[in-house]
Amino acid sequence: MSEGTMQRPAQRDQGDQRAKRRGRGLGRVLVCAAAVPVTLIVAGCSSDSGSGDADSGGKSADTAASASASPSPTVQAAVYKSLPKACGAVTKKTLGELVPKGKSGKEGTADEADARSSCSWSSLDNNGVKGSQFRWLNVSLLRFESDTSRGSGEEQAQAYYDKQIQDAQSSAGAKNTKSKAVSGTGDAATTVTYDLKKKEGSFKQQTVVTRVENVVITLDYNGAGLAGEKTPSAESLTKLAEKATKEAVAAVSAANGEGAGGDAGASKSPSPSASASASKAASSKSPSPSPSASKKS
């Protein structure tokens, strides 16, 4: 075999080796080229995710800041923080006029003495065969505390004041019902009077409802002539009931450090809402009876 013939296989072998090396190099290039888009895609996803988290965190911070900046609901604070004992809300002298034969008042039960208080007295002046005079008095005080969900104490007291007047007007069996505004007594005051016929005799009922700031005072007073005694006049009973109410208003003021005596309760004229309530009360009589009417006498 000639030298030229021997060299050709060797050259082919060398050419094959070079081709293989080029093929391997090209493969590596293709692999790297294929890997580059994947890396870029992953990097792009990571970049987008981080941007979203940053935006979300920023929005959450803005929301929290906005919430903290919103003002909390507020309500006007209640003026009166305590109540006097109802059995001491009317002076002994006045009690001697309203219930002349009455003994110590009977205090009502209450879980919250600073929010509600009541007391009642009864008097029977027995004149033997001539009959007897009966009197009954009840004083009830209710104080309202301001609350963001229910409103200010004064607003709640006004709503209760209106309801008490309506209840008095719609008492079961009431006849000749009349209502009038009372001046110089708290912030608002109304007197409701009516006649009530019972088996014991004819009763004259007086209910004086008063609001002073965030406190409502309801004074019930009735009288009757029994066993032949004449029926007392509504005018005289109403005058006494309103006098006692003014003393109760003064007692509320004194219990909260605003002085004592009748002047404290007589310094305010009825508010426009009180006048409106009294005007409405005088022209309307509800036909629905009050379930508590029979307990008032």
Side-chain angles (χ1 to χ4, degrees):
M1 184 178 294
S2 64
E3 183 178 357
T5 304
M6 294 179 63
Q7 288 177 346
R8 281 196 292 272
Q11 290 172 351
R12 285 198 299 271
D13 292 341
Q14 292 175 356
D16 291 341
Q17 290 176 0
R18 284 195 296 271
K20 289 181 181 179
R21 286 195 295 270
R22 285 197 298 269
R24 286 195 296 270
L26 180 60
R28 285 194 296 270
V29 170
L30 292 175
V31 170
C32 292
V36 169
V38 175
T39 305
L40 291 175
I41 292 172
V42 173
C45 293
S46 299
S47 176
D48 290 343
S49 176
S51 175
D53 290 344
D55 291 343
S56 176
K59 291 178 181 178
S60 298
D62 291 343
T63 302
S66 176
S68 61
S70 300
S72 301
T74 59
V75 64
Q76 183 179 357
V79 174
Y80 291 142
K81 301 298 182 181
S82 61
L83 290 176
K85 290 185 176 180
C87 289
V90 180
T91 64
K92 290 183 178 181
K93 179 181 179 181
T94 301
L95 286 174
E97 298 178 65
L98 275 79
V99 282
K101 298 295 181 179
K103 297 180 181 179
S104 298
K106 183 179 180 181
E107 186 174 0
T109 57
D111 295 333
E112 301 173 287
D114 63 337
R116 62 179 68 238
S117 178
S118 65
C119 192
S120 61
W121 298 260
S122 61
S123 170
L124 183 63
D125 186 4
N126 193 338
N127 295 312
V129 295
K130 294 182 179 181
S132 57
Q133 287 288 336
F134 175 78
R135 301 288 186 274
W136 181 81
L137 171 67
N138 186 81
V139 177
S140 175
L141 303 97
L142 189 60
R143 186 183 68 85
F144 294 87
E145 190 59 69
S146 295
D147 184 89
T148 54
S149 61
R150 294 190 296 269
S152 69
E154 183 175 341
E155 291 170 340
Q156 296 176 65
Q158 182 64 42
Y160 182 73
Y161 166 86
D162 293 334
K163 184 179 183 300
Q164 287 292 89
I165 295 172
Q166 294 172 3
D167 287 348
Q169 292 170 342
S170 60
S171 297
K175 303 292 184 181
N176 303 320
T177 304
K178 298 177 183 179
S179 303
K180 68 166 186 170
V182 182
S183 61
T185 305
D187 294 292
T190 299
T191 297
V192 180
T193 63
Y194 56 84
D195 299 333
L196 197 60
K197 185 74 174 180
K198 293 187 176 184
K199 63 180 181 180
E200 297 88 354
S202 297
F203 287 76
K204 297 288 185 180
Q205 172 73 35
Q206 282 65 228
T207 298
V208 186
V209 186
T210 305
R211 180 183 69 79
V212 52
E213 301 292 358
N214 56 308
V215 174
V216 176
I217 303 168
T218 304
L219 185 144
D220 290 303
Y221 182 52
N222 64 44
L226 308 179
E229 264 279 24
K230 68 178 182 178
T231 302
S233 70
E235 291 77 10
S236 62
L237 295 180
T238 297
K239 185 177 180 179
L240 288 171
E242 292 176 356
K243 177 182 179 181
T245 297
K246 289 184 178 182
E247 291 185 356
V249 171
V252 172
S253 298
N256 289 272
E258 293 190 1
D263 293 341
S267 59
K268 297 182 179 181
S269 298
S271 63
S273 60
S275 299
S277 297
S279 176
K280 180 180 179 182
S283 60
S284 64
K285 300 177 184 178
S286 173
S288 57
S290 169
S292 60
S294 59
K295 298 179 182 180
K296 292 184 177 180
S297 54

